[in-house]
């Protein structure tokens, strides 16, 4: 290995730069820093919507809303970070300070997921959920500020480490930098779901969200330490004023000046930005025109990101209703689909760049950047059509849950004879397990010739009522399955028998009855249950569980603890196992990733090529802003569109993107590509002549003002002399 020491003269003094194979050693600290930071961010985000749903007990819609609000904030704050870095602290200090904020936010998220801190009664459920929600919201806010604030600084800071004659090395650095982003994303989306699937806790063992959030927090601290260690090797450029501020001021002045000169008598100018010529030079105005021209094309782009970022929300929730039994991985709640996107990116970027595009070029097709972006948007729309088709298959395999104003009830006869049931509008003879029946608010229940009783069940639930007869007593089991929150509550009550065999339900959701357990989580696959009595006799009962299945096991009065005790236990299948495999999501991920490679990478290249030399950061911030707006669109559509079926929402998003794609194609057709360097060069050549003209105009204006001033003084002097002579007279 060869080391070279180069001297660089800087305003702050001389600094020695160490290079390895022609590359500054400092960039290796930056690349490792980016890898750890991306691991931290994507690792936390991989389980975030599941944390909302299963730990905070939020429903799917609210979980989606908060998730996309967080992502939107992450892409709004880069503007703030760019302004702070360029105008105040500089890139290095901005990265350090906001990384500290970032790390604190990750630590708070890990603490918010510790259920034991508020589990006073040690039952495994937090007693003060408000505290956990508050901590998680504070943590997410700090993370959004940190990750967004450093986003526009890290890559640019890495570019600052190279000399002007190191263009090739700088280009290679950005490729390595992009690779580190996807490598961190890939590893984190594999590892954090594994960590989440572990069991941890002081009083009760729960899914280990503290570990799933804690490891990303530790990686963020490591990222910060590594970045600071390389401090002595960095080329740190001092802040010279934010070009974005100048752009906004120039645009603002042009608008105000145009408004002040709105009279029809004033001659019009070729472009509305030309109204800024009174205060700003023509080069800056021309650069702003170029930026605005590209930003106008950005208007339709947020719709692409509205679909793309639902991979972490709606598509993740879709996966929870599918069979995740992969032969190469066994723990529950692991979703291999989360790794598909980064893997496909690492494969498809070189394939598209070195195979697909050259083949298209050989076919003499003018596949311009804007046409590529149009194709990418269309592929994303196809991805959501594929997601809708998968959702239709999932819906067909799921139980028919009642609406929010209906309930379902199933009756199970454990008496050794048929019984007649009249429940609401349904009359049937109960031989064995029966199907669910749907009711309104309440119904009357009558058993055999007994008197009818009024039954009220919680709205939106599935309920199983088991009728037992033992020693002259009727037993009733009520199983409630909440549809929206997916929380399961099983209740049991024993009632004295009377001459008419009628009974009254007295056990409600707020009551925990001693004769039956609540639903318990069991791992996918074979689960074993140990049953024993007070005398110490015991037996083992085993059952195979599929993903998403839910059963009620009934121990009859004749049950004995013998070797094959399981054959005497009756089971009720409340919810069937998920039968649609997660592998069916791969086509939609392939289409979405293909769209991302064609759209996102090309969009960045197009923005860079069409931006003025000193305003590439402005367009970078504008590009990131489209991601934020896209997530806001998801919030609006999710709240406004009250569609009963998820597949219909997927089709709605696909249709909206196709419409936007057509609009963008029309805008792209009329777009004229420019060469910013050539335009800037033309203005640079004209600048001395313009300066001369401007100086002549200023000199001429001064001469006129001086002449007018002399005439005014002369006039005042003549008037004074005339007044004096009249007084003397």
């Amino acid at each position: 290995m060869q080391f070279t020491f180069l001297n660089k003269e800087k305003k702050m003094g001389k600094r020695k730069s160490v290079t390895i194979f022609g590359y500054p050693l400092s960039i290796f600290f930056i690349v490792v820093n980016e890898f750890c930071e991306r691991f931290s961010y994507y690792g936390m985000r991989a389980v975030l919507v599941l944390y909302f749903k299963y730990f905070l007990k939020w429903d799917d819609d609210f979980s989606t809303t908060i998730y996309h609000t967080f992502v939107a904030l992450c892409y709004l704050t880069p503007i703030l970070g760019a302004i702070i870095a360029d105008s105040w602290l500089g890139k290095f200090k901005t990265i350090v300070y906001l990384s500290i904020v970032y790390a604190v936010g990750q630590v708070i998220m890990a603490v918010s997921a510790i259920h034991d801190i508020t589990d006073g009664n040690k039952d495994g459920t937090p007693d003060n959920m408000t505290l956990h929600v508050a901590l998680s919201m504070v943590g997410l806010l700090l993370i959004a500020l940190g990750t967004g604030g450093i986003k526009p600084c890290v890559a640019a800071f890495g570019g600052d480490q190279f000399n002007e004659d190191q263009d090739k090395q700088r280009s290679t650095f950005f490729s390595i930098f992009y690779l580190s982003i996807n490598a961190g994303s890939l590893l984190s989306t594999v590892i954090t779901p594994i960590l989440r699937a572990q069991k941890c806790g002081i009083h009760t063992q729960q899914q280990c969200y503290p570990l799933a959030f804690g490891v990303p927090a530790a990686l963020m601290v490591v990222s910060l330490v590594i970045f600071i260690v390389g401090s002595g090797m960095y080329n740190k450029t001092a802040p010279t004023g934010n070009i974005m501020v100048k752009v906004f001021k120039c645009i603002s002045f042009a608008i105000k000046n145009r408004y002040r000169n709105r009279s029809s008598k004033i001659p019009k100018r070729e472009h509305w930005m030309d109204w800024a010529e009174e205060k700003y030079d023509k080069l800056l105005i021309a650069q702003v025109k170029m930026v605005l021209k590209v930003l106008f094309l950005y208007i339709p782009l947020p719709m692409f990101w509205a679909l793309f970022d639902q991979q972490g929300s709606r598509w993740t929730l879709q996966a929870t209703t599918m069979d995740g039994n992969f032969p190469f991985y066994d723990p529950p709640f692991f979703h291999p689909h989360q790794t598909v996107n980064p893997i496909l990116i690492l494969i498809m970027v070189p394939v598209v760049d070195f195979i697909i595009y050259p083949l298209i070029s050989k076919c003499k097709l003018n596949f311009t950047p804007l046409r590529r972006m149009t194709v990418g948007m269309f592929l994303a729309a196809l991805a959501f059509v594929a997601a809708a088709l998968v959702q239709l298959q999932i819906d067909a395999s799921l139980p028919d849950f009642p609406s929010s104003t209906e309930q379902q009830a199933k009756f199970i006869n454990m008496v050794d004879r048929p019984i007649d049931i009249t429940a609401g509008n349904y009359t049937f003879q109960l031989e064995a397990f029966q199907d669910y029946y749907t009711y309104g608010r309440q119904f009357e229940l009558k058993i055999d010739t007994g008197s009818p009783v009024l039954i009220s069940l919680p709205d939106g639930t599935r309920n199983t009522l088991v009728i037992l007869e033992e020693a002259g007593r009727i037993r009733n089991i009520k199983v409630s399955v909440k549809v929206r929150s997916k929380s399961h509550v099983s209740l049991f009550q024993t009632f004295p028998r009377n001459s008419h065999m009628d009974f009254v339900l007295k056990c409600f959701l707020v009551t925990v009855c001693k004769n039956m357990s609540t639903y318990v989580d069991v791992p996918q696959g074979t689960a074993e249950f140990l049953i024993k009595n007070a005398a110490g006799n015991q037996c083992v009962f085993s059952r195979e569980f599929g993903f998403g299945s839910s059963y009620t096991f009934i121990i009859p009065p004749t049950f004995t603890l013998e070797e094959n005790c399981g054959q005497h236990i009756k089971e009720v299948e409340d919810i069937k196992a998920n039968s649609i495999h997660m592998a069916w999501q791969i086509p939609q991920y392939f289409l979405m990733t293909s769209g991302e490679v064609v759209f996102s990478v090309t969009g960045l290249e197009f923005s860079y090529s069409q931006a003025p030399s000193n305003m590439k950061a402005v367009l970078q911030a504008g590009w990131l802003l489209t991601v934020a707006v896209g997530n806001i669109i998801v919030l609006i559509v999710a709240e406004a569109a009250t569609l009963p079926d998820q597949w219909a929402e997927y089709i709605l998003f696909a249709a909206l993107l196709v419409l936007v794609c057509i609009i963008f194609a029309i805008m792209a057709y009329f777009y004229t590509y420019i060469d910013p360097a050539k335009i800037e060069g033309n203005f640079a050549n004209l600048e001395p002549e313009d300066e001369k003209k401007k100086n002549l105009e200023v000199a001429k204006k001064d001469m006129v003002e001086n002449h007018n001033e002399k005439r005014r003084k002369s006039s005042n002097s003549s008037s004074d002399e005339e007044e004096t002579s009249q007084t003397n007279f």
Side-chain angles (χ1 to χ4, degrees):
M1 185 176 292
Q2 295 179 347
F3 292 86
T4 306
F5 294 89
L6 299 176
N7 288 329
K8 286 186 178 180
E9 294 288 341
K10 300 191 69 180
K11 291 182 180 179
M12 60 183 67
K14 294 182 179 180
R15 182 180 295 273
K16 255 182 188 178
S17 176
V18 183
T19 64
I20 302 178
F21 299 120
Y23 292 89
L25 181 60
S26 57
I27 67 166
F28 294 97
F29 293 94
I30 297 172
V31 168
V32 175
N33 163 267
E34 182 66 12
F35 169 82
C36 295
E37 187 275 326
R38 289 292 86 185
F39 184 104
S40 177
Y41 175 74
Y42 284 108
M44 177 274 302
R45 217 175 82 167
V47 297
L48 184 59
V49 74
L50 301 177
Y51 168 74
F52 291 156
K53 181 177 179 179
Y54 294 112
F55 187 91
L56 298 183
K57 305 299 182 183
W58 292 346
D59 60 33
D60 290 359
D61 289 337
F62 192 63
S63 298
T64 300
T65 298
I66 299 301
Y67 175 86
H68 286 286
T69 301
F70 166 69
V71 176
L73 284 174
C74 290
Y75 286 94
L76 283 172
T77 49
I79 297 176
L80 178 62
I83 293 175
I84 293 174
D86 291 343
S87 304
W88 181 26
L89 295 177
K91 297 184 186 70
F92 175 77
K93 289 184 178 180
T94 300
I95 294 171
V96 171
Y97 294 158
L98 290 183
S99 292
I100 294 173
V101 173
Y102 192 168
V104 171
Q106 289 281 35
V107 171
I108 292 176
M109 275 299 297
V111 173
S112 74
I114 303 175
H115 65 274
D116 290 308
I117 60 177
T118 62
D119 187 12
N121 55 8
K122 303 179 182 179
D123 64 349
T125 303
D127 298 331
N128 186 1
M129 190 62 75
T130 303
L131 176 62
H132 293 274
V133 172
L135 287 174
S136 60
M137 292 303 100
V138 171
L140 289 177
L141 185 62
L142 294 177
I143 292 171
L145 178 61
T147 187
I150 68 175
K151 195 181 292 289
C153 301
V154 179
F157 187 69
D160 291 343
Q161 307 309 306
F162 295 88
N163 296 328
E164 294 181 1
D165 59 347
Q166 293 181 300
D167 291 338
K168 183 179 179 180
Q169 290 89 338
R170 184 185 290 110
S171 177
T172 304
F173 160 73
F174 282 115
S175 298
I176 298 173
F177 188 83
Y178 187 74
L179 180 64
S180 70
I181 293 174
N182 287 280
S185 170
L186 173 61
L187 288 178
S188 65
T189 51
V190 171
I191 293 174
T192 51
I194 297 175
L195 299 177
R196 172 185 175 270
Q198 306 306 308
K199 298 294 183 179
C200 63
I202 300 174
H203 307 304
T204 57
Q205 297 292 302
Q206 304 285 341
Q207 290 170 1
C208 205
Y209 287 102
L211 185 61
F213 289 141
V215 170
L219 262 291
M220 191 58 225
V221 174
V222 171
S223 171
L224 176 60
V225 171
I226 291 174
F227 185 74
I228 294 176
V229 167
S231 175
M233 304 179 188
Y234 296 141
N235 177 18
K236 305 171 187 175
T237 56
T240 57
N242 197 302
I243 189 63
M244 275 198 288
V245 176
K246 295 179 182 178
V247 170
F248 290 143
K249 287 183 177 180
C250 184
I251 294 173
S252 176
F253 180 80
I255 295 173
K256 291 177 181 178
N257 196 32
R258 178 67 184 92
Y259 180 77
R260 286 194 296 263
N261 296 275
R262 61 187 181 277
S263 174
S264 58
K265 297 179 181 179
I266 300 176
K268 294 183 179 180
R269 301 185 183 182
E270 184 179 354
H271 192 280
W272 64 271
M273 275 303 302
D274 293 334
W275 290 96
E277 290 180 350
E278 282 80 355
K279 186 175 181 180
Y280 296 93
D281 59 76
K282 290 184 178 180
L283 176 59
L284 178 62
I285 294 172
Q287 291 171 331
V288 173
K289 288 179 182 178
M290 288 186 273
V291 169
L292 292 177
K293 189 177 181 181
V294 178
L295 289 178
F296 177 71
L297 278 177
Y298 282 177
I299 294 176
L301 303 189
M303 199 64 220
F304 172 86
W305 299 113
L307 275 69
F308 177 82
D309 278 330
Q310 289 190 61
Q311 293 177 93
S313 58
R314 290 298 192 194
W315 286 13
T316 298
L317 294 172
Q318 183 186 62
T320 63
T321 61
M322 304 178 74
D323 181 7
N325 185 20
F326 284 83
F328 56 84
Y329 202 78
D330 190 41
F333 301 107
F334 171 73
H335 306 305
H337 69 280
Q338 294 173 334
T339 65
V340 172
N341 179 259
I343 290 175
L344 287 176
I345 286 177
L346 294 175
I347 295 173
M348 294 185 66
V349 167
V351 168
V352 170
D353 284 343
F354 299 111
I355 299 178
I356 303 299
Y357 288 160
L359 286 176
I360 293 175
S361 179
K362 285 187 177 181
C363 295
K364 298 188 182 302
L365 296 175
N366 188 18
F367 201 36
T368 62
L370 293 180
R371 290 177 182 175
R372 296 178 191 177
M373 294 173 67
T374 305
V375 171
M377 296 170 78
F378 184 71
L379 289 173
L382 288 180
F384 262 62
V385 173
L389 294 176
V390 172
Q391 189 64 45
L392 284 171
Q393 298 301 314
I394 294 173
D395 292 344
S397 67
L398 291 177
D400 184 18
F401 284 110
S403 67
S404 59
T405 59
E406 295 179 329
Q407 312 85 34
Q408 291 180 347
K410 174 191 284 188
F411 300 87
I412 298 177
N413 180 16
M414 296 299 291
V415 181
D416 292 335
R417 59 180 176 80
I419 58 176
D420 296 322
I421 296 290
T422 300
N425 297 326
Y426 301 96
T427 300
F428 49 91
Q429 187 178 70
L430 203 61
E431 296 287 348
F433 300 153
Q434 296 294 322
D435 291 332
Y436 285 94
Y437 299 91
T438 302
Y439 299 94
R441 290 285 179 181
Q442 53 190 11
F443 62 91
E444 287 188 344
L445 176 64
K446 178 182 176 183
I447 299 179
D448 287 341
T449 58
S451 302
V453 293
L454 192 64
I455 303 297
S456 296
L457 299 174
D459 287 340
T461 59
R462 304 192 101 198
N463 303 273
T464 300
L465 294 99
V466 181
I467 303 168
L468 294 170
E469 183 180 37
E470 178 188 3
R473 299 167 70 85
I474 289 292
R475 289 190 175 184
N476 162 259
I477 298 177
K478 169 184 168 187
V479 181
S480 299
V481 183
K482 280 279 188 179
V483 179
R484 299 292 179 255
S485 64
K486 306 297 183 186
S487 62
H488 306 282
V489 182
S490 302
L491 304 174
F492 177 88
Q493 181 65 54
T494 301
F495 304 97
R497 178 182 176 182
N498 59 25
S499 58
H500 299 292
M501 288 186 66
D502 58 353
F503 60 89
V504 181
L505 295 177
K506 295 181 180 179
C507 201
F508 302 96
L509 287 174
V510 296
T511 309
V512 178
C513 303
K514 297 180 180 179
N515 302 71
M516 189 172 184
S517 72
T518 59
Y519 278 92
V520 294
D521 292 331
V522 294
Q524 183 268 337
T526 303
E528 292 187 346
F529 305 92
L530 178 65
I531 305 174
K532 62 181 180 179
N533 59 16
N537 300 324
Q538 63 184 32
C539 72
V540 176
F541 163 58
S542 62
R543 179 66 166 83
E544 188 78 17
F545 287 88
F547 271 86
S549 59
S550 177
Y551 291 88
T552 296
F553 296 105
I554 303 168
I555 302 176
T558 57
F559 177 80
T560 57
L561 293 172
E562 56 187 29
E563 184 176 354
N564 296 322
C565 61
Q567 64 184 358
H568 302 295
I569 296 177
K570 306 299 181 181
E571 67 178 40
V572 182
E573 187 180 52
D574 299 318
I575 300 177
K576 293 183 179 180
N578 304 337
S579 58
I580 308 300
H581 202 275
M582 282 185 191
W584 284 105
Q585 282 193 319
I586 293 178
Q588 67 200 53
Y589 274 93
F590 175 79
L591 288 169
M592 181 61 75
T593 305
S594 301
E596 177 191 4
V597 171
V598 178
F599 177 87
S600 181
V601 177
T602 305
L604 289 171
E605 176 190 348
F606 169 78
S607 301
Y608 189 88
S609 67
Q610 298 295 291
S613 58
N614 62 338
M615 296 190 186
K616 299 189 184 295
V618 176
L619 282 184
Q620 178 67 15
W623 178 264
L624 294 173
L625 189 61
T626 64
V627 183
V629 176
N631 282 270
I632 294 173
I633 291 174
V634 178
L635 301 180
I636 295 173
V637 174
E639 294 297 327
T642 56
L643 298 175
D645 299 309
Q646 184 58 52
W647 67 265
E649 184 177 297
Y650 289 146
I651 294 297
L652 173 62
F653 274 106
L656 289 174
L657 185 56
V658 169
L659 176 62
V660 169
C661 183
I662 295 172
I663 295 173
F664 181 77
I666 296 173
M667 296 170 64
Y669 178 79
F670 291 100
Y671 182 83
T672 303
Y673 291 85
I674 61 173
D675 185 354
K678 184 177 180 180
I679 295 175
E680 290 174 333
N682 292 337
F683 275 96
N685 294 332
L686 294 174
E687 193 66 27
E689 190 67 26
D690 290 343
E691 192 67 28
K692 288 180 181 179
K693 291 180 179 179
K694 187 175 181 180
N695 291 336
L696 287 173
E697 290 176 0
V698 172
K700 184 178 179 180
K701 185 177 180 181
D702 290 341
M703 290 176 63
V704 172
E705 289 180 353
N706 291 334
H707 179 69
N708 291 336
E709 181 67 19
K710 289 180 179 180
R711 291 185 62 184
R712 186 181 63 80
K713 290 182 178 179
S714 176
S715 176
N716 291 338
S717 177
S718 300
S719 298
D720 292 341
E721 290 177 358
E722 183 178 355
E723 183 177 348
T724 302
S725 62
Q726 289 177 356
T727 303
N728 293 334
F729 177 77

